[in-house]
């Protein structure tokens, strides 16, 4: 039986930690768009939540009680 050569042979000589790290980087390269897509929405949510938690900015989104009704005039 012939010996394997190339990447298959190299994988046998590498440690378990090296193979695990390589598989993580392979997954990241494979799912790069999805990771960036989710990260964009997480960052946007954190920024929006931070803005709406401040009272001075929250008045933009919430109608003031007893104030003028901008939408009906």
């Amino acid at each position: 039986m012939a010996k394997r050569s190339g990447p298959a042979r190299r994988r046998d000589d590498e440690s378990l930690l090296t193979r695990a790290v390589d598989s993580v980087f392979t997954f990241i390269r494979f799912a790069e768009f999805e990771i960036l897509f989710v990260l964009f929405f997480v960052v946007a949510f954190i920024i929006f939540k931070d803005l709406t938690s401040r009272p001075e900015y929250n008045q933009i989104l919430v109608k003031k009680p007893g104030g003028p009704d901008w939408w009906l005039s």
Side-chain angles (χ1 to χ4, degrees):
M1 187 176 245
K3 284 186 174 181
R4 291 186 202 170
S5 62
R9 177 71 179 151
R10 198 187 98 215
R11 297 289 286 181
D12 293 339
D13 295 339
E14 293 176 349
S15 70
L16 180 63
L17 181 63
T18 303
R19 286 183 283 170
V21 170
D22 284 344
S23 65
V24 167
F25 281 120
T26 302
F27 173 75
I28 289 173
R29 265 186 260 126
F30 180 70
E32 182 179 4
F33 175 76
E34 289 81 5
I35 291 170
L36 292 175
F37 186 76
V38 170
L39 188 63
F40 170 77
F41 281 106
V42 168
V43 169
F45 174 76
I46 290 171
I47 290 172
F48 184 75
K49 185 175 179 177
D50 182 50
L51 284 177
T52 57
S53 69
R54 298 179 185 181
E56 61 271 15
Y57 292 110
N58 196 18
Q59 298 308 318
I60 297 169
L61 303 172
V62 178
K63 188 172 88 171
K64 295 179 184 179
D69 195 2
W70 297 103
W71 300 108
L72 295 178
S73 56

